[in-house]
Amino acid sequence: MSTTTIETVLKAPTERRWLPAAIVWVVLLSAPLWLPLVGGYTALASHVLVMGLVAMALNFLLGFTGVMSFGHAAYFGLGVYGAGLTLRYISNSTLLALLFGILLGGLVGTVLGALIARRRGVYFAMVTIAFGQIFYYIAYSWNSFTGGYDGLRGFSRQPLHFGPLVIDIQNNGTLFYYFVLAVFAICIGLMAFLLASPFGRTLIAVRENQRRARFLGIAVDRHIWLSFSISCYFAAAAGALYALLNNFADPMSLHYSLSGEIVIMAVMGGMRSFWGPLVGAAVFVILQDYISSMTENWMSCIGLLFVLVVMFFPRGLLGVLQRRGSP
Amino acid sequence: MNMLEVRNATKTFGSLVAVNGVSLSVAAGELRAIIGPNGAGKTTFFNLITGFFPPTSGAILVEGQDITRLSAQERVKLGMARTFQITEIFPELTVHENVRIAVEVGSGFALRPWIGRDAAATVRRATEETLGLCGLESKAGRSVGELSHGDQRAAEIAMALALKPRLLLLDEPTAGMGEQETYQIAGLIRRLHKQSNYTIVLIEHDMRVVFNLADRITVLDQGALLADGTPQQISENPAVQAAYLGTAE
Ligand SMILES: Nc1ncnc2c1ncn2[C@@H]1O[C@H](COP(=O)(O)OP(=O)(O)O)[C@@H](O)[C@H]1O
Ligand SMILES: [Mg+2]
């Protein structure tokens, strides 16, 4: 994906809006073919998709509703544990694990969102962190059920059965990558669909000007709550995929430090652009993978990069290209 | 029955009495101007009517229905739309998108993840109509934050109109405008009043606009009602001349 291609594409007028999406899909669909040539591996690509999905889920709230959550790891992590616990204790169906992970994170987000949505600004952010940490401590302390500090092991994603057809995502990493990509595609397709609807435009209205939104008759608190809840379902979907990717549920997946990383991915990639957070997540995950093998201090490197991006490209990596493209 | 009735509304901020026992009746189809010196409580009075905050005491009625306890967005559903003294718009969106959102919300689509082809066509038509009414067709595709001050004010009025309100409240629509822009906005308000028969309450500091447009004028001073009457009565009222018109010149 050369920079010049993206620039020319994004410079194009509105009739060619589909081109960035087309590029993203071609890159993602062909990833298993070219990844080995550049020293990558499919599990890394799956990891990028998972973090891309949670960053885009956060950005549904942050970039398209204008509300910051510093606790999104909680709903991601609940998705992780929901899927892991399902496979460990309830059923050996991968799809059921995915579903239960999504429901656990999504429903908890919906309930807590109702309490959070009335808060504004720094109070909103604080409450999201506080609620987030509760689940971290539960997972951390409940040794017998969640595996506590060591995390939950003893489960493994299972092949998919469609009648006589068996897709072995358990042992074939490439097939699993395409499974993750399919779930990713459904999730972000839904997000794009919602954002292009009258409901989605009310969220953007809330982002742009809450006072104006309120005096147009938009119930601002309710729309923030809905956006928060929707965002939590998608974050939980990413979490469930993460559990399936690693066959492991880590309490750190609930920790607020991960919440911070998700924010960094979204902001670094560009929270005003739909695909920005995916780019941010790709940069983050790939850097993490390469740099952490060289130095303990990989987080400082990412922190430095983040500061540079925020200082010189406040609209993020993709945002800067879009800005240049707009008349 | 009056379109709007305010009974004895009072609003205090700590020890400051911003609105002090003001009553007001606006008939359907009337254009009412509210005037008064800076700090008289005009904007606060609007905030009470539109539900920005609740009154300390008193009651607000729309077409006989007591709305004192309703939220701002419930009042919008009853047909109330307002603009602000400091323009409130969606700055990063285009003029068309600003008005389209207002049309969609006004049509009850705020929670709809999908609308049919016909509804979408109706929304588009209503959006274009409203843009045309406010003279914004040629700027529809531009980001509203990039427009001139006057066009931004017009866009905010367009958003209020897009709600198809029965009661339109405009807070100093010509504030900060030059001659030409003031003339255009005054013309728009006149058309809305005379041709489309809107009921309008208008806070305005430009006396030419007020005396040209208003059916009746309400004068506030230090939070209290000073006078209420036709433009003729107001211009002849000695208390008003002393307290306001005299000092304004
Ligand atoms: N939210 C508020 N909190 C405290 N004081 C306020 C508030 N809104 C208005 N005031 C005060 O109320 C008085 C009336 O203000 P306002 O209604 O804006 O006057 P006007 O619109 O006639 O210029 C002013 O003294 C102002 O400082
Ligand atoms: Mg005022």
Side-chain angles (χ1 to χ4, degrees):
Chain A
M1 198 158 63
S2 83
T3 327
T4 36
T5 338
I6 307 178
E7 266 176 62
T8 25
V9 164
L10 293 175
K11 246 179 223 163
T14 36
E15 312 90 68
R16 288 209 266 155
R17 273 234 184 101
W18 52 270
L19 256 173
I23 291 177
V24 168
W25 289 121
V26 167
V27 168
L28 293 179
L29 281 166
S30 62
L33 301 178
W34 54 261
L35 257 183
L37 306 177
V38 294
Y41 49 100
T42 48
L44 182 67
S46 300
H47 192 191
V48 166
L49 284 182
V50 166
M51 298 323 287
L53 179 54
V54 69
M56 288 176 86
L58 172 74
N59 204 45
F60 190 87
L61 184 67
L62 174 61
F64 294 101
T65 317
V67 172
M68 172 65 100
S69 163
F70 283 113
H72 251 48
Y75 312 100
F76 177 84
L78 285 170
V80 171
Y81 276 89
L85 293 168
T86 304
L87 283 173
R88 176 85 167 74
Y89 296 114
I90 300 175
S91 151
N92 59 2
S93 159
T94 299
L95 290 180
L96 206 63
L98 180 63
L99 179 69
F100 284 2
I102 293 173
L103 287 180
L104 183 63
L107 290 174
V108 169
T110 305
V111 171
L112 294 186
L115 305 173
I116 295 173
R118 288 172 185 281
R119 318 264 161 198
R120 288 292 179 276
V122 71
Y123 298 100
F124 187 100
M126 298 299 286
V127 178
T128 57
I129 298 179
F131 277 137
Q133 285 302 91
I134 291 173
F135 298 102
Y136 171 73
Y137 283 110
I138 293 175
Y140 187 89
S141 342
W142 197 354
N143 262 312
S144 57
F145 187 56
T146 62
Y149 173 77
D150 294 327
L152 182 71
R153 296 182 186 277
F155 68 88
S156 156
R157 61 179 188 255
Q158 299 297 310
L160 300 175
H161 296 268
F162 297 105
L165 182 68
V166 178
I167 304 174
D168 186 11
I169 60 168
Q170 184 176 23
N171 300 306
N172 185 326
T174 304
L175 283 181
F176 179 68
Y177 170 81
Y178 281 111
F179 171 73
V180 174
L181 184 57
V183 177
F184 174 86
I186 293 169
C187 290
I188 61 136
L190 275 170
M191 276 191 246
F193 175 79
L194 285 175
L195 287 174
S197 74
F199 169 68
R201 279 186 286 276
T202 67
L203 300 184
I204 293 168
V206 169
R207 173 192 84 192
E208 287 287 303
N209 185 337
Q210 290 198 7
R211 179 172 293 174
R212 183 73 267 171
R214 180 177 163 213
F215 281 89
L216 285 182
I218 297 170
V220 172
D221 288 352
R222 184 176 63 187
H223 286 243
I224 290 177
W225 172 54
L226 286 169
S227 176
F228 187 88
S229 309
I230 292 166
S231 163
C232 287
Y233 281 94
F234 291 124
L241 291 174
Y242 196 57
L244 299 175
L245 172 65
N246 298 321
N247 293 321
F248 172 53
D250 181 350
M252 285 312 284
S253 66
L254 286 158
H255 196 261
Y256 71 84
S257 60
L258 179 65
S259 299
E261 293 178 7
I262 299 169
V263 171
I264 288 177
M265 292 173 204
V267 172
M268 192 162 69
M271 52 187 207
R272 278 294 189 273
S273 59
F274 186 70
W275 297 107
L278 176 63
V279 174
V283 169
F284 191 103
V285 170
I286 292 166
L287 275 184
Q288 185 179 20
D289 191 65
Y290 278 91
I291 302 177
S292 64
S293 62
M294 293 186 275
T295 161
E296 292 272 287
N297 273 336
W298 66 274
M299 199 56 208
S300 322
C301 299
I302 293 198
L304 183 66
L305 178 70
F306 177 61
V307 169
L308 289 176
V309 167
V310 170
M311 276 173 59
F312 294 107
F313 313 115
R315 301 178 72 91
L317 295 170
L318 258 197
V320 72
L321 299 178
Q322 267 184 347
R323 197 72 192 153
R324 226 180 277 162
S326 67
Chain B
M1 193 187 309
N2 288 314
M3 178 59 79
L4 173 69
E5 194 171 332
V6 180
R7 290 184 191 155
N8 240 328
T10 295
K11 181 69 183 180
T12 57
F13 297 110
S15 61
L16 174 77
V17 187
V19 173
N20 191 357
V22 176
S23 297
L24 167 96
S25 301
V26 178
E30 179 181 335
L31 195 157
R32 170 70 57 104
I34 298 179
I35 62 172
N38 264 336
K42 306 180 296 291
T43 297
T44 305
F45 190 56
F46 255 33
N47 287 341
L48 298 179
I49 296 171
T50 56
F52 194 90
F53 38 52
T56 309
S57 64
I60 326 277
L61 291 83
V62 166
E63 295 186 306
Q65 182 187 350
D66 189 330
I67 60 159
T68 316
R69 305 190 153 275
L70 296 189
S71 69
Q73 66 267 7
E74 287 167 322
R75 297 181 198 206
V76 173
K77 295 222 166 69
L78 289 177
M80 212 185 253
R82 76 172 286 184
T83 64
F84 290 83
Q85 188 168 349
I86 296 163
T87 317
E88 301 282 3
I89 44 182
F90 304 137
E92 285 192 28
L93 307 186
T94 66
V95 180
H96 186 274
E97 284 165 335
N98 269 266
V99 175
R100 191 227 287 217
I101 290 172
V103 169
E104 285 176 339
V105 174
S107 311
F109 296 158
L111 287 170
R112 294 283 276 286
W114 187 79
I115 51 172
R117 233 167 241 254
D118 291 350
T122 312
V123 166
R124 199 173 320 116
R125 218 175 309 116
T127 305
E128 281 159 12
E129 231 167 67
T130 311
L131 288 170
L133 190 61
C134 300
L136 290 166
E137 318 93 313
S138 60
K139 288 148 190 151
R142 294 194 34 207
S143 166
V144 77
E146 294 169 358
L147 297 186
S148 71
H149 174 72
D151 284 336
Q152 292 191 4
R153 307 269 313 154
E156 195 188 10
I157 295 177
M159 292 170 84
L161 289 177
L163 297 171
K164 300 227 174 303
R166 285 184 296 162
L167 175 60
L168 181 63
L169 298 110
L170 306 173
D171 193 348
E172 303 209 18
T174 71
M177 286 190 181
E179 285 279 321
Q180 181 64 24
E181 288 175 329
T182 300
Y183 178 77
Q184 279 173 7
I185 292 285
L188 169 62
I189 297 170
R190 178 194 301 281
R191 284 200 304 279
L192 293 175
H193 177 45
K194 295 276 196 258
Q195 289 166 23
S196 311
N197 207 31
Y198 277 97
T199 309
I200 299 174
V201 183
L202 169 73
I203 297 176
E204 184 52 62
H205 65 282
D206 187 320
M207 286 307 135
R208 288 166 311 169
V209 174
V210 168
F211 281 90
N212 258 313
L213 292 180
D215 298 318
R216 290 180 73 84
I217 299 173
T218 295
V219 188
L220 294 186
D221 188 28
Q222 295 180 42
L225 183 76
L226 188 68
D228 191 326
T230 62
Q232 173 99 26
Q233 289 166 335
I234 294 299
S235 63
E236 289 165 358
N237 184 315
V240 174
Q241 282 171 359
Y244 183 65
L245 295 175
T247 57
E249 295 310 309

